[in-house]
Each structure stands twice: as structure tokens, then as C-alpha cells.
Amino acid sequence: MAEIRFENVRKMFGEDTIIPDMNMTIKDGSFTVIVGPSGCGKSTTLRMIAGLETQTEGNIYIGDRLVNDVSPGKRNVSMVFQNYALYPTMTVKGNIEFGLKNRKVPKAERQKLIEEVADIVGLTPYLNKKPQKLSGGQRQRVALARAMVKKPDVFILDEPLSNLDAKLRQQMRSELVQLHAKLGTTFVYVTHDQVEAMSMGDEIVLLDQGEIMQMAPPLDLYNYPANRFTAQFIGTPPMNLVSVDQLPSAGFNEKAVEQIGFRPEKAKLRHFPGNDQFSMPCTILNRETLGSEIIYQLDTLAGRLFAKTFNEPVVDAEQLFVSVNNEDIYYFKENGRCIAPYLNRETPIKVRSTV
Amino acid sequence: MSGWFERFRPYVMVAPAIIVFVLFFIYPIGYMIYLSFHEWDFISPEKQFVGLDNFSGLSEHPEFLKSLENTFVFTFFSVGITTVLALLLALWINRPTRFYGFVQGAVFSPHIISLVSIAMLWMWLMDPQYGLLNWGLELFGLPQSEWLASPETALYSIILVAIWKSIGFNTLIIIAGLQSIPPHLYEAAALDQSSRFTSFAKITFPMISPTLFFLIIMNLIGSFQVFETIDIMTQGGPLQSTNTLVYYIYEYGFRFFQLGYASSAGVILLIVLSILTVLYFFLMSRRVHYQ
């Protein structure tokens, strides 16, 4: 078990800088999810931990050990690949055993370890089959077993669920979380799917263009986004943003405020303006009825906004007011940073123009 | 009327292909087998039936046995060395830089040159007095060779040319096989602390073995039919040292006009090649199919 520390890590491919300067500590025993849009450098980060890529500058520590010059096999890191990367010419047993054999683990011990691991992931009946005879979920388990059997300090997973169908993915998600709880090893998990990130991680690293946007537990990320990017990345539909220029009567203590934001699920649809701090007339453009929740697309003076309701009847009227409580409003500065919502304002924001 | 047409239409459709096939493949093979039981000199109107005499004649003819032996030696060394060298070469030049791209092209180039030109070229190179090879050997103080002029070395000289000619093509096919191995497997192996040799033995080699097997069988079939280089460079000599099966058939059929006798040697060749072909299809159908 070990923590992972990045110290001024920079990674370039030729002329392109993928990661300009990364500093982070992944806690020992945590289930850390690295998430971000494609091309944000999340896989590169993972591969640098594994040693499959070498950083251009900076230091990476696993535990207390500086691993800059340590080869992948000696870092005591196990990896589960997106397409599993099982050795097609070996049986399931051969796949699991390969790393142990290379480590010169004696045969009796190997046998014991394989049986143990196969039992945990439920592969015992398939040990003598070749991977191509197995289903996607079973292959996934072989990949997990192969990673587990080495008893690594760090377990890294590169979008391991993306090749599975929706149902199996859901099931594997909870199995992985349970596995993490059982092993207690540090897990580093890469995904582009915010649902996976939010549901599995106890710590999320949100990356954009190689920079850490925010590193926090899932609910902190949702409740206290540090910046516009985090606010918009986490949550479906994304947070509504309204430029202050479009709010005629808005007054702020903080001069630098450029935009205000609120989550669609905090927006209320009413037939009258109400006394809320933010209130604006709107027209419903579209309704997505998903069952327990309904997503409305609204046209307002401030552009298109989303509202989301739970377990409420469908709103039929076309002309409405959208309003948000004061404490549910986020304020963003010009540079995109979020000012904590509890910063006080002199005048409440009220917009009461007719459409 | 239409019923008749419907019934025969499929046969009419495949008829051209079948006619060509029968006329140019089945009939000559059948005729060869027929001739192998007869004595015929190409000219006389009568073909005399001799039973298995031609075959028993072959089995007692030292020249035939020598040609058979030469064919096996030629095949063994040319196929073996070509495959091993092509594999090593492929492992070395399978890199995506411009330099290695150039090397791949250079290695492949003999494949597109006519075999006749290659034979002529190597005859010059191997000339015992004025050839470049002996000049090179002398330059490094090594003993010179008689090359094609000596019965000791002639067959091996022909083998050298065969290897030179076919190595590029083999290398290219092996490179294609190597490139079809997913790179993730090597990353997984690196994390499994696999040494380079282990990765080769446990991942690379099993993954390209279907490719290698295909090449070996194709090379075996090709080598058994070696003819052009021998006809141009040595005509089977000196002292029968480079006489091979196909050259033997050619000599007896078209020089000595013993067509029945030559046909019986042809039947022997046909049997050898049939065994290889059947072996190939049998093993290919049983080989593991990867995802």
C-alpha cells in the first residue's frame, strides 16, 4: 500500500505539452478517479504512474520511493487495461500466472495464489479456458485477477468498464468498489464518464488540458466547484451560467463577478415571479420526460437554461418564471474561479422584464 | 422450356471456369499420370504401356536419387535459413522511423527483380577469378571459394541466391504479422516483469506462428520446384551436384525426349507437393483463431 505523489511533473510529446505542471498526492488506500474530457491527459497521467510513459520533467513517488527510473515491472503496480490486454495464447491460468512466474514465485505458492484470486473473482471453472472463449465480463475478471494476484501497492485501471454493456457495467462498478474495500489497496481509476467517477471514487481528480481543475471527494466537487469548468463538467445537465451583463438590476459587492450559475435541479418553475433572489420570465422550449425526473429547456433573456424537477407533474404552461434561491447561486469571476456562494451581496438579483 | 433453362443455368454459369480448370489443370495432371505408365519419345505415334517400369527405373537411377537428395538439401537449407533470418530481420527493422522504412524497402527489392537477372548477377559475383565475392574474401584475408565451379559448393551457392531472393518478401510478411500484435500486450508484459526474451517466447512467437507456418509451407512448395537459377547458373552441374527434381524432369522430358520417364518423376513431385498442401490445410484448419 502506498500513496502516490506527483511533484512538478511535466509531460511533452514532441512539441506538444500534454501536462504542463502537475502536483498532487493520491492518498494511500484511496479510490481515486481521474476524470476529464478526452485528450485532457488522464491516461497519460495513469501511464506515468505505471511507468509506461516517462515524464519529461519532475518526480513521481510511490510510497517513499522515487520511481522516475524504475521500470514498470519493478514499481509493484498492477494495471487493468481498457481492452483487457489478455495474452491470447495463454489460458486464464497462464494469464494470471505469467507475472508470478516472471517474479520466480515458487510453484506451490503460485498455485495457492491463483486459486485464491480465481475464487474471489469467480473464475475457478474457467481456469483452463483461453480468453477468446470467455464473455466480456469474464475477460474483465481475468484482467482483474491478473492484476490482483501480484498483490500490488497500487492498482491502476484505465477505463476498464468502457467495453462492457450498460447492465454489466453497473454491476462491475459496485463489484470494483467492494473489491477496493476488501483489498484496501490504493486504486487509481481513469474514466471519461462522470457518473462512474461520482459513483465509485472517494476522491476525484478533474483534469482539463493537463491541469488539475479540482481534486476533492465527489460531493464536494458537486457542491463546491472551484471553477466554471468543474461546475459545468459535474452534473447533468450542466450548471446554468448567466452573464451578469444580462442581469440589469444585479448589484454585487464583488466587482469582478462575471457570471452567476445555478444547477438545473435547483431551479424552480413558477407561474408568478415570486420573491426569490433570482427570477426571470421564461418560455419552455422542450421537455424531456425521463420518468422520475423531467428536464426542461428554457428560453430566457439570458439565453438557454435548463431546469430539472423530480417526482413532480409535468408543467404544461409555456410562459413561466424560473427562480432560484439565494443560497443555490454560484458566482464566477472573470478567470472562471468560483467565489463561495455565501459571499454577501447588497441587492438581491431581480429581473422582471416581460418577454 | 423455361424449366430446362432454369435447371441448367447454374452449370452454364460456371462452365467457363470449369472448362479452363479441366483443360489446363486436371487434363495435364491426368495426362502426366497416364504417361508415367508408358514409354513415349514425343514423336512416335504409339505410346507403349510399360506398367511401373518407369518408377522402378527411377528408383534405380543414381542421377534421380541424387537430384532428389539435392532437392531436399536445397529445400531444407533455403527454407530454414530464410525463415530464421527473415524473422531476425523483421524483429530488427520493425520500427516506425524513416531509416527502418528505407531498410524494409531495400530488403524487399530483390523480390521484384526477375529471377533470370538475379541469376546472371550472381554468376558474375561468384566468378572464381574475377568475381566480387572472391575479391572481398581476399581483401579480408579469407580463403577463396570456387562457388559454382566446384561440386562441393555449387548447391550451397544456389541456396545462397535463393535466400537472397526470398528473404525480403518473407521479412515483409513477418513484419505484417508483428504489427498485428496489439501493443497493449507488451505493456501488460512489462508490468508483469517479463524479460525481453520471455515476451518474445510467450507473446510474440505464438502470435506470429500462424504467419511463420504459412511462410514455411509456401517456401517449401516453392523450393521443391526450384528451376530457373539452376538452368541458368549450372545446368545441374558440376557432376550432378546441383541437379534437382524439376531440372531432372526437364532434362529427361525435353532434352532426352523420354516423356514417360520424366512424367513418372513428375508424379513423384506431385505426391510430395500434395502431402505438403494437405498438411497445410489440415493444420491451418486446426490452428487457434485469435480474436
Side-chain angles (χ1 to χ4, degrees):
Chain A
M1 272 176 246
E3 66 167 31
I4 302 161
R5 198 144 50 84
F6 275 59
E7 208 175 73
N8 302 106
V9 170
R10 180 184 177 82
K11 176 68 187 175
M12 297 174 77
F13 285 117
E15 294 291 295
D16 302 326
T17 306
I18 304 297
I19 291 165
D21 181 21
M22 183 179 275
N23 286 286
M24 69 168 171
T25 304
I26 293 171
K27 286 187 207 115
D28 181 14
S30 69
F31 194 129
T32 299
V33 179
I34 303 178
V35 66
S38 26
C40 70
K42 53 192 189 298
S43 279
T44 308
T45 307
L46 199 69
R47 293 165 60 82
M48 286 194 294
I49 299 173
L52 298 172
E53 300 282 354
T54 314
Q55 65 273 27
T56 317
E57 279 169 37
N59 297 322
I60 297 175
Y61 297 87
I62 296 177
D64 298 327
R65 187 159 66 128
L66 179 66
V67 293
N68 291 3
D69 301 316
V70 179
S71 69
K74 304 228 158 118
R75 292 189 179 198
N76 211 9
V77 166
S78 279
M79 182 160 175
V80 176
F81 292 84
Q82 183 174 352
N83 48 15
Y84 320 135
L86 301 178
Y87 310 121
T89 51
M90 300 180 202
T91 59
V92 169
K93 184 171 176 227
N95 265 280
I96 301 173
E97 203 174 20
F98 189 60
L100 298 177
K101 270 190 181 162
N102 291 330
R103 260 156 241 252
K104 313 234 161 18
V105 176
K107 191 163 185 215
E109 199 184 329
R110 284 205 308 260
Q111 191 61 39
K112 204 180 119 239
L113 285 168
I114 292 166
E115 276 167 20
E116 222 173 86
V117 167
D119 190 44
I120 294 176
V121 295
L123 277 175
T124 313
Y126 305 102
L127 280 177
N128 291 318
K129 289 227 160 80
K130 290 266 177 77
Q132 53 271 23
K133 301 254 187 246
L134 304 180
S135 70
Q138 288 165 335
R139 287 180 202 184
Q140 175 73 75
R141 280 166 221 267
V142 180
L144 279 172
R146 183 175 70 180
M148 273 160 58
V149 80
K150 291 186 280 181
K151 301 213 188 304
D153 290 335
V154 177
F155 223 102
I156 58 185
L157 305 98
D158 189 3
E159 308 215 13
L161 306 185
S162 54
N163 285 356
L164 301 178
D165 60 58
K167 197 178 160 203
L168 201 54
R169 201 179 307 157
Q170 179 114 31
Q171 184 192 336
M172 286 306 287
R173 239 190 257 158
S174 69
E175 280 188 28
L176 279 174
V177 172
Q178 285 165 29
L179 187 68
H180 173 251
K182 197 186 288 179
L183 298 175
T185 316
T186 313
F187 270 46
V188 186
Y189 185 106
V190 156
T191 179
H192 62 266
D193 181 357
Q194 54 143 323
V195 178
E196 258 175 43
M198 295 294 280
S199 63
M200 297 173 77
D202 46 41
E203 186 90 2
I204 294 178
V205 182
L206 182 58
L207 284 187
D208 183 39
Q209 295 174 10
E211 290 186 61
I212 297 176
M213 290 286 120
Q214 194 168 354
M215 185 168 174
L219 283 180
D220 286 3
L221 217 58
Y222 177 81
N223 288 324
Y224 313 111
N227 48 50
R228 208 153 42 198
F229 183 84
T230 312
Q232 292 236 285
F233 192 85
I234 304 292
T236 14
M239 183 182 277
N240 293 306
L241 290 179
V242 178
S243 171
V244 289
D245 305 343
Q246 289 160 311
L247 303 170
S249 63
F252 297 103
N253 293 346
E254 192 81 37
K255 287 280 176 281
V257 170
E258 195 197 42
Q259 282 174 316
I260 65 158
F262 59 90
R263 298 225 174 257
E265 46 274 38
K266 300 290 186 187
K268 289 174 284 185
L269 293 174
R270 305 188 161 186
H271 295 280
F272 48 89
N275 290 323
D276 285 316
Q277 308 294 358
F278 176 95
S279 186
M280 213 182 227
C282 66
T283 323
I284 294 181
L285 289 175
N286 188 27
R287 296 175 183 81
E288 280 180 55
T289 47
L290 302 174
S292 67
E293 54 193 61
I294 301 165
I295 297 170
Y296 299 91
Q297 213 183 99
L298 312 169
D299 189 29
T300 70
L301 281 179
R304 297 268 164 96
L305 300 176
F306 285 99
K308 187 161 152 186
T309 60
F310 295 93
N311 297 322
E312 279 174 31
V314 182
V315 181
D316 287 327
E318 298 298 321
Q319 297 287 328
L320 289 160
F321 289 88
V322 53
S323 61
V324 185
N325 286 342
N326 193 18
E327 64 268 24
D328 293 330
I329 296 178
Y330 298 84
Y331 304 88
F332 296 96
K333 289 207 272 189
E334 212 174 331
N335 60 8
R337 294 211 64 77
C338 184
I339 310 161
Y342 38 82
L343 275 182
N344 61 345
R345 269 187 329 276
E346 272 172 357
T347 6
I349 308 159
K350 276 188 187 171
V351 185
R352 291 194 185 169
S353 20
T354 40
V355 182
Chain B
M1 176 67 194
S2 90
W4 182 88
F5 181 71
E6 281 305 313
R7 216 175 124 198
F8 283 94
R9 186 159 68 171
Y11 300 102
V12 175
M13 294 291 188
V14 296
I18 294 293
I19 289 169
V20 168
F21 185 68
V22 168
L23 215 57
F24 293 101
F25 295 89
I26 303 294
Y27 172 71
I29 290 175
Y31 195 57
M32 178 184 75
I33 295 170
Y34 168 80
L35 279 180
S36 71
F37 298 108
H38 292 77
E39 206 178 292
W40 189 42
D41 60 3
F42 242 132
I43 303 158
S44 62
E46 231 159 83
K47 302 180 184 84
Q48 197 191 340
F49 182 76
V50 293
L52 291 170
D53 279 7
N54 282 336
F55 290 96
S56 58
L58 278 178
S59 67
E60 287 159 12
H61 192 198
E63 217 176 280
F64 173 75
L65 297 177
K66 179 71 181 164
S67 78
L68 208 57
E69 182 200 320
N70 285 341
T71 307
F72 276 100
V73 170
F74 175 85
T75 300
F76 180 78
F77 284 105
S78 70
V79 175
I81 297 173
T82 300
T83 310
V84 171
L85 280 185
L87 178 60
L88 293 175
L89 207 56
L91 290 170
W92 176 52
I93 63 178
N94 180 27
R95 277 160 236 220
T97 64
R98 201 174 290 179
F99 170 71
Y100 289 102
F102 172 76
V103 176
Q104 286 177 22
V107 168
F108 185 67
S109 60
H111 186 69
I112 58 171
I113 304 173
S114 142
L115 199 49
V116 176
S117 315
I118 289 174
M120 301 295 283
L121 177 79
W122 280 89
M123 274 171 78
W124 288 336
L125 292 174
M126 287 173 168
D127 188 287
Q129 262 92 51
Y130 313 108
L132 194 69
L133 293 186
N134 270 356
W135 180 77
L137 288 175
E138 197 183 8
L139 202 66
F140 289 101
L142 294 164
Q144 301 198 343
S145 170
E146 289 291 303
W147 302 107
L148 297 167
S150 150
E152 305 282 306
T153 53
L155 186 59
Y156 295 96
S157 303
I158 302 265
I159 290 171
L160 181 70
V161 177
I163 293 169
W164 186 79
K165 160 88 175 163
S166 56
I167 196 161
F169 177 74
N170 281 265
T171 303
L172 212 69
I173 300 288
I174 295 174
I175 286 177
L178 289 173
Q179 286 178 349
S180 69
I181 302 175
H184 278 130
L185 292 184
Y186 293 107
E187 293 178 351
L191 283 159
D192 272 342
Q193 222 175 322
S194 164
S195 66
R196 283 184 75 172
F197 176 76
T198 313
S199 294
F200 175 78
K202 297 285 180 180
I203 298 169
T204 311
F205 192 75
M207 294 286 283
I208 59 166
S209 59
T211 307
L212 289 178
F213 181 68
F214 165 79
L215 281 176
I216 288 172
I217 295 285
M218 288 299 148
N219 289 338
L220 283 179
I221 291 173
S223 292
F224 266 100
Q225 302 180 65
V226 58
F227 177 76
E228 294 96 321
T229 41
I230 288 169
D231 188 40
I232 294 163
M233 298 173 84
T234 63
Q235 284 93 45
L239 295 171
Q240 305 298 328
S241 63
T242 58
N243 200 358
T244 57
L245 201 47
V246 176
Y247 195 75
Y248 182 87
I249 294 168
Y250 163 75
E251 269 201 318
Y252 276 82
F254 301 101
R255 282 225 178 127
F256 310 147
F257 299 112
Q258 300 185 18
L259 220 58
Y261 188 66
S263 294
S264 60
V267 169
I268 303 284
L269 179 66
L270 179 71
I271 291 168
V272 172
L273 296 183
S274 304
I275 291 170
L276 284 175
T277 310
V278 169
L279 189 76
Y280 174 71
F281 282 107
F282 175 70
L283 290 173
M284 276 316 249
S285 67
R286 289 184 30 147
R287 82 159 223 233
V288 187
H289 287 274
Y290 306 128
Q291 1 175 357

